[in-house]
Amino acid sequence: MSDQNKPDKITRREMLFRTGAGGLGLLVGASGFGTISALGKTMSKEEEVNSDDVIPFYGKHQAGITTKQQTYVYLIALDLTTEKLSDIRDLFKEWTIASEKMSKGVLIDSYSDNLYVPPADTGEAAGLSASNLTLTYGFGPTFFEKEGADRFGLASKRPQRLKKLPAFPGDQLEDAWTGGDLCVQVCADDQQVAFHAIRNLIRIGRGIVTLRWMQSGFLRSPKADKKNATPRNLFGFKDGTVNPSTNEDYNDVIWSNGSEASWMKNGSYMVMRRIRMLLEVWDRTHLNEQNKTFGREKVSGAPLGHKDEFDEIDFDKKDEQGKPYIPADSHVKLGRGDGSQKIHRRSYSYSSEMDPTRAQLDAGLLFMSYQKDPFKQFVPIQKRMASSDRMNEYIRHIGSAVFACPGGISEGGYIGDSLF
Ligand code: HEM
């Protein structure tokens, strides 16, 4: 077995942390796992962990998939500029160490006494709690193969179901929001904590990866929503009512059993769609039409003709004129189909301020779903919706990507170790 392909663990030597200074491998101190930097100051202050809002980084599955949705997300896609698998492995090891630290709400490394090197942590999260930070990593189809070339000798490990999504009717995809070799989803209940995490991952990756796109999103905060109700999207509707919620559902819908690729066991496939919402058009649409578009009541979230948000939907229920309450072209009817395809939605609203070409708000849904097989779950649903969803008048799909997010790791392992 060549050295490039040897499975390994993070060694103590590798725990010596490298700053992201252009991949120079500048050693600034021994971070983490009980070691105190010879160069650094004591970590006592930074190591104080507020366990109330810490989501463990290690585990059977990656955090950030079934984790209760935090208030903020940053989602980035990265392209690899290196040709060496060993560079990528090293990068994932460093990201693992940094991710574990940041998830605990501590600095990636203590500041050095040497005033003439850049600090190992950019510092804006110092003193802030972990804020339920999660970091979720994924591999895009182009990680394995690009323009017909097996980039890192791993093409045979690409699962069949990890490939570019087909074109759907009405797609208006822009390169600026599409594709990517790798992705990282960072979520937290504090925006500065989330930004700090994404910024430091990008910094550490300098010289090995470049940023392809970056998207941010938000939901209402738990502070503003004392009832902990289903969050509302920018059309004002409760979004996320019908979603897997038990371990049985998760096994059924989300987690791979590894049959398609052993390295994906306990992992999941993420689909991202950036969907612009034409808010000006929507805001001029009467309430009855808004309700029919979704097949649900705007205020209560109840299916039309039903009482409560969580009522089982009876799609055959008819009004006084004998017409089904829930129109055949409504979003929930098409989302449900015959009930055989299910996905786990974990979307956020986005706002990129203003579209200068139209002098209108540029906002929408950063749609994310997790599933075992995008082609058996997401694709058939999106096919139905793309051809006849009543909502199409009010939205445009402008970005698309798919990533394989491997299972979680245990201490001593590193992200993607099952693949490398
Ligand atoms: C801007 C775009 C979208 C908006 C505003 C939106 C909004 C909603 C809303 C309000 C509901 C009803 C409440 C709920 O169960 O969560 C819903 C349900 C659903 N949506 Fe979407 N959605 C969008 C895009 C998509 C896409 C792209 C897909 C997948 C292809 C999708 C799949 C579903 C599914 C599967 C359901 C549940 C249907 C059921 O009751 O079984 N949605 N969505």
Side-chain angles (χ1 to χ4, degrees), residues 68-71 218-222 224-225 228-232:
K68 184 176 179 307
Q69 268 187 278
Q70 303 92 324
T71 308
F218 59 90
L219 287 180
R220 74 344 178 208
S221 73
D225 182 5
N228 196 20
T230 312
R232 291 179 187 271

Side-chain angles (χ1 to χ4, degrees), residues 230 233-235 237-243 273 275-277 294 296 301 313 315 331-337 341-343 345 364-365 367 369 378 381-383 385 389 391 395 397:
T230 312
N233 59 39
L234 298 182
F235 284 156
F237 276 74
K238 293 186 176 179
D239 196 337
T241 308
V242 174
N243 230 3
R273 302 286 286 183
I275 308 175
R276 181 175 287 157
M277 291 160 70
F294 285 104
R296 286 184 177 267
I313 309 185
F315 287 99
H331 185 69
V332 297
K333 173 79 178 149
L334 294 164
R336 181 74 58 99
Q341 297 108 10
K342 291 184 181 147
I343 54 177
R345 291 172 290 136
L365 192 74
F367 173 92
S369 67
F378 172 85
I381 301 175
Q382 178 55 21
K383 268 193 183 151
M385 289 181 172
D389 196 338
M391 187 173 60
I395 59 167
H397 283 241

Side-chain angles (χ1 to χ4, degrees), residues 246-384:
T246 63
N247 280 337
E248 209 186 334
D249 291 346
Y250 296 159
N251 286 331
D252 200 32
V253 176
I254 304 176
W255 305 127
S256 158
N257 62 10
S259 60
E260 80 286 14
S262 55
W263 65 272
M264 272 302 289
K265 188 161 187 216
N266 299 321
S268 189
Y269 295 82
M270 180 219 279
V271 169
M272 180 290 292
R273 302 286 286 183
R274 184 174 176 91
I275 308 175
R276 181 175 287 157
M277 291 160 70
L278 308 180
L279 299 182
E280 285 77 6
V281 184
W282 179 258
D283 294 346
R284 289 196 301 269
T285 304
H286 60 71
L287 182 57
N288 193 33
E289 176 56 26
Q290 293 193 358
N291 288 342
K292 282 185 168 169
T293 299
F294 285 104
R296 286 184 177 267
E297 294 273 350
K298 186 165 188 166
V299 178
S300 67
L304 296 180
H306 297 62
K307 272 209 173 101
D308 296 312
E309 180 188 354
F310 294 100
D311 281 352
E312 256 320 302
I313 309 185
D314 176 1
F315 287 99
D316 294 327
K317 206 168 177 191
K318 309 232 167 46
D319 62 17
E320 307 85 65
Q321 283 119 42
K323 280 197 190 153
Y325 278 106
I326 301 178
D329 59 355
S330 66
H331 185 69
V332 297
K333 173 79 178 149
L334 294 164
R336 181 74 58 99
D338 65 5
S340 62
Q341 297 108 10
K342 291 184 181 147
I343 54 177
H344 172 59
R345 291 172 290 136
R346 203 176 189 280
S347 311
Y348 284 84
S349 297
Y350 77 79
S351 160
S352 293
E353 326 306 348
M354 173 179 147
D355 173 358
T357 57
R358 299 180 304 141
Q360 290 186 346
L361 291 174
D362 180 4
L365 192 74
L366 175 48
F367 173 92
M368 281 182 272
S369 67
Y370 287 91
Q371 50 269 301
K372 289 173 168 203
D373 186 341
F375 285 79
K376 291 202 173 125
Q377 295 167 270
F378 172 85
V379 170
I381 301 175
Q382 178 55 21
K383 268 193 183 151
R384 286 197 295 271

